[in-house]
């Protein structure tokens, strides 16, 4: 009788415990084939350490990630923790979809992250996104093509143009690749824009008007346009995305391009016989490194989450150095905490090249109308790259349209 009673009590306790277990949904886009198994390991370890929390992991494709998030928010079926990009944050905040993290994180928690990454993810002074992964861009140079053309690895933009012209004239390859469509297309313009002293908006965060009517912006547009006109870039620029340029480089048909560390890993893993260097983006003079693009992806806490404390607990748990080293390094990207940067996985040469570029990195603007502003700039740049508009026409048109979009 006693044994039967104990069994009943044990069953009741088990059912009671299960009924009070919380369910936490986590949505993550796949950066590589290692993203899902990397997060599955985090989830398994977290659930073992927190048996009262059940984590439901969702891993999807980057190509449809923005549409998925928008659809989930619209239907109210969004996850508690959502990994996406820093650039989308103002839109989500403006729509009341995100919870500020400031009150959930201690000073010790925040001290794990470089302050520059935290500041870049704030909106109206509040932390609505915690950095999840970062990267910086390098200039890739095919040394054999440069040598064959009698040029040198450029440290300034004038040297880059000189080398690009020589390669295009003296070899069968294109000198400098210019991205003309899709993901980061507009950011490829930022390399010249920023180093010539220009910007898209008057402020990186909280901008209210376009800055594309400046002499610096026009100079940058003219510079890229001159490379195209003089045959120093690949032909039909507007038809090339980032991956297309990387394929050209891997085939030895492109001497120079700017991209992230994954290209170096692809050259190695795919067995391409390319003698190259992964170096700094050029500056205006050889005594100072140029400004490059820094990219931050981030993780957000949903406003409608019923398990915010559990979500933040998972968030900090997932940022342990060994977990970042597992999935971030395998995606050829960089960690977001001081401690993770010391893991041996980030000692790889191509990742160190990106790490060395981080101090000279600048982050793209964020704005509630960011998607619209980017679409405007992309369309105007494509028109210029295709020869349908002059640099003056493209910059003036972009300036007027962006001003209208930013005020709405």
């Amino acid at each position: 009788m006693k044994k039967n009673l104990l069994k009943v009590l044990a069953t009741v306790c088990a059912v009671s415990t299960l009924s009070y277990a919380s369910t936490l949904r986590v949505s993550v886009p796949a950066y590589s084939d290692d993203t899902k198994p990397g997060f599955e390991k985090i989830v398994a370890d977290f659930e073992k350490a927190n048996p009262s929390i059940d984590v439901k992991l969702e891993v999807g494709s980057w190509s449809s990630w923005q549409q998925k998030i928008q659809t989930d928010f619209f239907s109210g079926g969004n996850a508690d923790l959502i990994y996406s990009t820093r650039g989308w944050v103002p839109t989500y905040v403006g729509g009341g979809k995100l919870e500020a993290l400031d009150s959930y994180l201690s000073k010790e928690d925040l001290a794990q992250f470089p302050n520059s990454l935290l500041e870049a993810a704030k909106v109206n002074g509040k932390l609505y996104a915690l950095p999840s992964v970062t990267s910086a861009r390098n200039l890739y140079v095919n040394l054999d093509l440069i040598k064959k053309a009698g040029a040198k690895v450029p440290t300034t933009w004038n040297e880059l143009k000189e080398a690009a012209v020589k390669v295009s004239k003296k070899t069968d390859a294109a000198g400098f690749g210019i991205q003309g469509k899709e993901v980061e297309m507009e950011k490829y313009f930022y390399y010249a824009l920023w180093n010539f002293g220009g910007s898209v908006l008057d402020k990186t965060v909280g901008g209210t008007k376009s800055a594309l009517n400046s002499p610096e912006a026009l100079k940058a547009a003219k510079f890229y346009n001159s490379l195209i006109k003089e045959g120093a870039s690949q032909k039909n620029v507007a038809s090339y995305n980032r991956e297309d340029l990387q394929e050209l480089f891997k085939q030895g048909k492109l001497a120079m391009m700017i991209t992230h560390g994954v290209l170096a890993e692809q050259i190695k893993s795919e067995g391409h016989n390319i003698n190259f260097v992964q170096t700094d983006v050029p500056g205006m003079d050889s005594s100072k490194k140029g400004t490059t693009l820094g990219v931050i992806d981030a993780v957000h806490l949903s406003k409608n989450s019923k398990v915010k404390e559990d979500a933040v607990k998972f968030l900090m748990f997932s940022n342990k150095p060994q977990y970042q080293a597992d999935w971030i390094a395998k995606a050829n990207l960089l960690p977001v905490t001081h401690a993770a940067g010391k893991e041996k996985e980030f000692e790889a040469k191509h990742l160190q090249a990106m790490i060395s570029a981080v101090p000279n990195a600048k982050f793209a603007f964020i704005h509630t109308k960011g998607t619209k502003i980017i679409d405007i700039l992309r369309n105007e740049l494509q028109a210029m790259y295709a020869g349908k508009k002059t640099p003056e026409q493209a910059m003036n048109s972009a300036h007027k349209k962006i001003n209208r979009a930013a005020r709405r």
Side-chain angles (χ1 to χ4, degrees), residues 89 107 134 154 164 248 381 396:
V89 176
K107 290 183 179 179
T134 187
L248 280 184
L381 287 173
N396 286 336

Side-chain angles (χ1 to χ4, degrees), residues 7 34 80 247 254 319 348 369:
K7 284 183 180 180
D34 297 294
D80 301 287
E247 285 302 315
L254 179 64
N319 276 313
K369 301 295 182 181

Side-chain angles (χ1 to χ4, degrees), residues 115-174:
N115 191 58
S116 59
L117 298 187
L118 295 176
E119 289 299 320
K122 288 183 177 180
V123 175
N124 299 326
K126 291 186 177 182
L127 187 66
Y128 285 97
L130 196 67
S132 59
V133 65
T134 187
S135 65
R137 306 297 185 249
N138 295 114
L139 174 69
Y140 281 73
V141 182
N142 183 314
L143 297 174
D144 290 337
L145 288 174
I146 290 293
K147 182 178 180 180
K148 186 176 181 180
K152 64 177 182 178
V153 175
T155 58
T156 69
W157 286 92
N158 286 336
E159 290 176 355
L160 183 145
K161 182 175 181 179
E162 181 181 348
V165 170
K166 285 183 177 180
V167 168
S168 297
K169 287 183 176 180
K170 297 182 179 181
T171 76
D172 294 330

Side-chain angles (χ1 to χ4, degrees), residues 66 85-91 119-123 184-191 193-194 198-212 291-297 361-379 381 398-399 401-403 405-407:
Q66 186 174 22
T85 75
R86 160 185 172 269
W88 299 342
V89 176
T91 301
E119 289 299 320
K122 288 183 177 180
V123 175
E184 289 196 5
M185 177 268 188
E186 76 289 347
K187 293 182 176 66
Y188 214 93
F189 177 62
Y190 296 171
Y191 300 117
L193 179 66
W194 289 344
S199 61
V200 178
L201 299 178
D202 57 336
K203 293 179 183 178
T204 301
V205 180
T208 58
K209 58 184 179 181
S210 166
L212 291 175
T291 301
T292 190
L293 173 68
V295 177
I296 302 174
D297 284 346
K362 182 176 179 178
F363 301 107
F365 74 88
I366 56 175
H367 192 280
T368 54
K369 301 295 182 181
T371 301
K372 179 64 176 178
I373 292 170
I374 287 171
D375 285 343
I376 291 170
L377 182 55
R378 283 182 178 178
N379 290 336
L381 287 173
H399 174 70
K401 292 176 180 178
I402 289 174
N403 269 340
R407 287 195 295 265

Side-chain angles (χ1 to χ4, degrees), residues 225-293:
N225 196 56
S226 69
L227 288 173
I228 297 170
K229 294 293 185 182
E230 294 177 35
S233 67
Q234 83 278 15
K235 295 180 180 178
N236 302 316
V237 166
S239 65
Y240 281 79
N241 63 19
R242 181 174 63 191
E243 287 68 31
D244 294 331
L245 289 181
Q246 290 176 174
E247 285 302 315
L248 280 184
F249 191 90
K250 288 186 286 187
Q251 294 165 18
K253 297 179 181 179
L254 179 64
M256 296 177 288
M257 73 168 294
I258 302 172
T259 190
H260 50 55
V262 70
L263 177 55
E265 180 62 20
Q266 288 176 354
I267 292 171
K268 178 183 177 181
S269 63
E270 295 173 11
H272 297 283
N273 185 26
I274 301 294
N275 178 25
F276 73 98
V277 63
Q278 185 183 351
T279 188
D280 297 308
V281 168
M284 297 311 293
D285 63 74
S286 58
S287 65
K288 186 179 180 182
K289 291 183 179 181
T291 301
T292 190
L293 173 68

